[in-house]
Amino acid sequence: MGAERGYSRDWVLRTLAFLTGCCLIAGIFARFDGLGRWPLTVDEYYLAQSVQNILREGLPRYACGGLYVRGLALQYTSVLLQYAGLSAELAPRLIAALCSLIALPAVYLLGRRAGGRNIGLLAVAILAISVWEAEVARFGRMYAPFQAVFLWYMVCFLSYTLDRRRRALVPMLVLSALGVLVWEGGVFLALANLLPPFIRTPSGRLESRDWKYLAGCALLVLPIYWFATADLRTRGGEPTLPDDYREPTAALISRLDSANMPLATLHLHPLWALAALLPVLLALYAVVRLARAYAASQSMGAAAAAAAGSPADEPPGPLALLGCSAALGCALMQQFGLTIAIVLLMGLLCVLDWRALFRGHMWPFHAAILASLLFWCAFALSTPEWHVPGLTGLRADFLLAYQFVRFPDVVRQIAAPWAHSVPVLSTALFVLIGAACIHACLLSNRTQSAERVLLALLVIFVLAAGGSHPPRQETRYVFFLYPLAILLAVLCVARIAHEIFGSTRFAAAATVLLVLGGFALTEDFRPRHLWNIDTEAVTFRIGMSPREAAHYQERSDTRSAARWLAAHVDRSHDMVINSFPGVDFYYPHANFYYMEETDPRFESWSCRRGRFERWSNLPLLHSAAALRSELASGRRVWLVLESSRLAQLEASFPAGTWQLEWSSREHDIAILSSHETPSTH
């Protein structure tokens, strides 16, 4: 990694700088080409409507009550740009595109800090031509802006934590506060503010100034956490749901939902509950042994205890004792994935040397974890209540393995969507970053502190994202971590090349070839996609496989639907009922909004006891019966909805009630007409 320092001005670095410059030019073109041309996506529509509310009264207040504070900084910046004459489409997208470019210097600084200029340039080159980065940069939401905040926060974090530069503290804290105003995930940054004292002092023996710092950062966490979690959409005003509303029964949306944690059924089996005392007692014994080792070191002095040996001979510090106790507790609660993560973090942050895991005082720790694993496997395989009946043995084993890593739910929230949409890229990143973690734990003296801290922070943020329970399982919720993952993967490839070729120019050249060549084999390298990024086919994912399209934000041609309505609807006699979010932004003359109470969006979109739809402020029809009563008026009715809901709609009405009049080229928007009269029923 550091091999290029002795020849930093040679042809490899100059060639790489030229390639990076070319990638930057291509990336800038892909980010800004026709940026404001196409209509708002559904998610952009939410922000655009809130911006209109700010323009109307100065606050992101819904017309029917409540506040929309997601991406608050982005909303008010968009307001300023719209005052300057930019369109509702261009203003937020321009912010996102500029933030995507602002993030690249931070990536370079992190790469240079962790592995040298070659590493920084390679990471920038990849991210500049990344299709995913370009697509999100063209998406007028908070994901690209938060990524920029996150990366610059990381620059300040390393400067303050490792270099002890006090001038980096203020921008670090400011960025953590700004983060939550950009995206609610900014609460992660406020929590990360608590880490520097523990990274600087792996033993956990903190000084008074460290406790003062932690107290101050804890006070900052409180308002940030409140802002990130408060439900301001429904604050004030009358209840949002109808008085007779009944929450629909949740349907199984995944095969993983067909089982619960075996722990939840332990109380049904008294003998097994009695047997559970064995791993509990072993865990307590392990904690006692570790505490005694720590107490002995305190009595004789830590320096004397470690004088004759390596770091592996040092007794456990208070932070190691706390971490091991937490790992044992997670094993007792059958969350072995979290147990492994805690041990990994202790290794990455030098809280616990890996060789110390094999010292005498640690054997009860291993025995307790093994006893917990054997107990929960035996209990789960002997009892059927924790899963639905009729499962095959192999599927039951798979579900049991999932229960062991269920919290944080990294499998469902991160691994599954990534493996589905970008299997090659996700596999490569997993292998390379996993190898980097192993190397950093086993050979901490040969791994730079910056790399170890970045690896630890990546693990922490992945765990936090897995435990955050977003509304959907999509890759974009960890978009802010993508540059960090790319950077660490590049570092691992550079290390492999260094081990093969040594400190030579060939190692640097091989790193460039391996990194760029490997990236070219992944799903994130699509030159044709970048070149045609402003075309209708790419914009609306026409001809793109559902698997690939799931990695990008969904786009619909709502503007064309609105134009068709404007050309065909007789507003003096016809009735327009909208059921597709965003169409009303371009066609503001609809009479009603239609959404069934069984729709998963109903609870958050219903307003004023179900009388209005929150985003459009249109009168809300929330049942087929209510829609049928409007058809009985005898007026011609036009209904705009998702094409995927056609079959469900037609099943609720007599045959021939609805006729398809128009659908978008990508076939996700349909406009129906009906001449229903009272005599039809």
Side-chain angles (χ1 to χ4, degrees):
M1 293 181 300
E4 46 88 25
R5 292 172 184 167
Y7 44 87
S8 59
R9 299 183 183 277
D10 69 356
W11 63 272
V12 176
L13 185 60
R14 292 196 299 271
T15 302
L16 179 56
F18 174 77
L19 289 175
T20 302
C22 293
C23 291
L24 281 172
I25 294 172
I28 292 172
F29 169 81
R31 284 160 172 78
F32 291 95
D33 182 31
L35 193 58
R37 176 183 177 189
W38 297 103
L40 298 168
T41 69
V42 172
D43 282 358
E44 289 175 328
Y45 158 74
Y46 304 145
L47 187 136
Q49 284 289 74
S50 191
V51 168
Q52 297 305 310
N53 294 334
I54 295 175
L55 291 170
R56 185 182 69 248
E57 58 176 291
L59 291 174
R61 192 194 312 276
Y62 299 105
C64 66
L67 299 171
Y68 182 67
V69 295
R70 292 197 74 192
L72 198 60
L74 180 60
Q75 291 187 48
Y76 277 95
T77 309
S78 297
V79 167
L80 295 177
L81 292 179
Q82 290 193 42
Y83 271 131
L86 273 65
S87 67
E89 294 87 358
L90 180 57
R93 293 175 187 169
L94 180 62
I95 298 169
L98 290 173
C99 286
S100 179
L101 293 182
I102 292 172
L104 295 179
V107 173
Y108 173 76
L109 292 175
L110 290 172
R112 188 182 68 178
R113 171 64 188 272
R117 282 179 284 181
N118 283 8
I119 303 300
L121 289 173
L122 274 172
V124 169
I126 289 174
L127 294 170
I129 58 173
S130 159
V131 173
W132 197 30
E133 287 283 335
E135 281 284 354
V136 179
R138 299 172 62 87
F139 183 38
R141 291 285 282 180
M142 64 286 295
Y143 302 105
F146 182 74
Q147 185 187 82
V149 171
F150 170 75
L151 291 170
W152 280 105
Y153 172 87
M154 296 298 296
V155 172
C156 297
F157 184 92
L158 292 184
S159 179
Y160 175 73
T161 305
L162 299 182
D163 301 333
R164 298 179 181 267
R165 293 174 180 163
R166 295 187 62 84
R167 65 176 180 270
L169 177 59
V170 172
M172 185 182 86
L173 297 178
V174 169
L175 287 170
S176 66
L178 176 62
V180 77
L181 297 177
V182 175
W183 184 49
E184 58 268 27
V187 71
F188 297 159
L189 305 186
L191 294 173
N193 289 337
L194 302 172
L195 295 176
F198 302 104
I199 294 175
R200 292 174 177 175
T201 313
S203 66
R205 298 179 178 90
L206 304 183
E207 300 177 359
S208 59
R209 63 181 180 182
D210 295 322
W211 291 110
K212 292 177 182 178
Y213 169 85
L214 290 173
C217 288
L219 290 176
L220 181 62
V221 168
L222 295 178
I224 290 177
Y225 181 80
W226 176 86
F227 186 83
T229 57
D231 184 12
L232 299 180
R233 295 191 187 192
T234 58
R235 284 291 172 90
E238 57 188 309
T240 60
L241 297 171
D243 294 332
D244 59 349
Y245 175 74
R246 295 292 181 269
E247 186 174 352
T249 303
L252 293 180
I253 59 175
S254 169
R255 293 181 179 180
L256 299 177
D257 291 322
S258 55
N260 292 313
M261 291 173 58
L263 175 65
T265 63
L266 183 61
H267 68 282
L268 300 175
H269 303 273
L271 292 179
W272 278 108
L274 184 63
L277 292 176
L278 176 61
V280 171
L281 293 175
L282 284 174
L284 291 175
Y285 175 68
V287 173
V288 170
R289 283 288 301 271
L290 291 172
R292 285 179 177 174
Y294 172 66
S297 70
Q298 291 293 98
S299 62
M300 66 184 297
S310 66
D313 298 313
E314 296 182 14
L319 197 57
L321 178 60
L322 179 62
C324 290
S325 301
L328 288 169
C330 293
L332 290 174
M333 300 296 290
Q334 67 192 50
Q335 294 309 302
F336 297 99
L338 195 52
T339 297
I340 295 172
I342 292 172
V343 175
L344 174 62
L345 287 172
M346 288 194 293
L348 290 174
L349 297 177
C350 298
V351 173
L352 187 67
D353 189 277
W354 71 274
R355 291 164 293 182
L357 289 171
F358 303 100
R359 299 304 178 189
H361 59 266
M362 293 298 297
W363 288 115
F365 174 79
H366 300 299
I369 292 178
L370 180 60
S372 295
L373 178 61
L374 293 176
F375 170 80
W376 286 118
C377 287
F379 172 72
L381 296 177
S382 302
T383 58
E385 291 87 358
W386 59 278
H387 60 74
V388 297
L391 293 182
T392 63
L394 184 60
R395 187 176 175 190
D397 294 342
F398 170 78
L399 288 174
L400 177 60
Y402 169 66
Q403 301 308 315
F404 288 165
V405 295
R406 182 160 187 162
F407 182 83
D409 201 351
V410 174
V411 172
R412 190 197 300 253
Q413 306 297 347
I414 300 176
W418 274 73
H420 173 260
S421 298
V422 282
V424 176
L425 177 64
S426 57
T427 301
L429 290 177
F430 177 79
V431 171
L432 291 173
I433 295 173
C437 287
I438 294 173
H439 180 273
C441 290
L442 299 184
L443 299 171
S444 58
N445 59 330
R446 294 173 55 187
T447 305
Q448 291 197 37
S449 298
E451 182 182 355
R452 288 191 291 100
V453 171
L454 290 177
L455 284 167
L457 289 173
L458 179 63
V459 172
I460 290 171
F461 285 124
V462 165
L463 293 175
S468 61
H469 301 292
R472 294 173 298 278
Q473 285 77 49
E474 297 181 8
T475 55
R476 60 174 162 167
Y477 294 118
V478 290
F479 174 74
F480 70 101
L481 294 175
Y482 186 53
L484 191 55
I486 289 292
L487 176 60
L488 292 169
V490 171
L491 273 169
C492 186
V493 173
R495 180 176 294 110
I496 294 172
H498 176 72
E499 292 295 330
I500 295 175
F501 297 103
S503 300
T504 66
R505 289 190 178 97
F506 294 108
T511 299
V512 174
L513 293 176
L514 287 172
V515 168
L516 297 182
F519 178 72
L521 299 177
T522 69
E523 300 87 350
D524 204 24
F525 180 73
R526 295 286 186 269
R528 181 177 297 178
H529 186 127
L530 288 181
W531 180 255
N532 298 298
I533 200 166
D534 188 45
T535 63
E536 182 180 11
V538 172
T539 298
F540 297 118
R541 322 303 181 205
I542 299 173
M544 186 179 294
S545 69
R547 176 189 63 79
E548 185 179 0
H551 192 49
Y552 310 120
Q553 61 278 4
E554 185 178 355
R555 295 183 179 273
S556 303
D557 196 359
T558 50
R559 185 188 287 142
S560 292
R563 288 173 177 169
W564 193 94
L565 289 171
H568 293 82
V569 172
D570 183 351
R571 291 173 53 193
S572 61
H573 297 92
D574 296 351
M575 178 188 300
V576 176
I577 300 176
N578 183 33
S579 189
F580 196 104
V583 171
D584 57 280
F585 192 85
Y586 299 102
Y587 185 82
H589 309 298
N591 303 92
F592 294 95
Y593 198 96
Y594 172 58
M595 175 182 287
E596 292 276 359
E597 290 187 6
T598 55
D599 193 298
R601 301 168 295 183
F602 181 79
E603 290 188 5
S604 60
W605 288 19
S606 171
C607 203
R608 293 185 179 178
R609 300 184 188 273
R611 297 194 304 272
F612 293 90
E613 191 271 326
R614 183 174 301 278
W615 296 103
S616 63
N617 201 39
L618 289 171
L620 179 61
L621 306 175
H622 50 84
S623 67
L627 179 58
R628 191 175 293 112
S629 66
E630 297 301 328
L631 296 183
S633 65
R635 299 168 64 185
R636 185 173 191 179
V637 175
W638 303 89
L639 177 63
V640 188
L641 80 167
E642 297 99 325
S643 298
S644 59
R645 295 168 57 196
L646 279 174
Q648 178 185 357
L649 176 76
E650 292 174 346
S652 303
F653 291 85
T657 299
W658 298 102
Q659 295 83 42
L660 178 64
E661 301 288 351
W662 179 88
S663 64
S664 58
R665 181 178 175 184
E666 64 276 16
H667 305 299
D668 62 336
I669 305 179
I671 299 179
L672 312 178
S673 68
S674 174
H675 290 279
E676 189 81 2
T677 64
S679 59
T680 307
H681 300 287

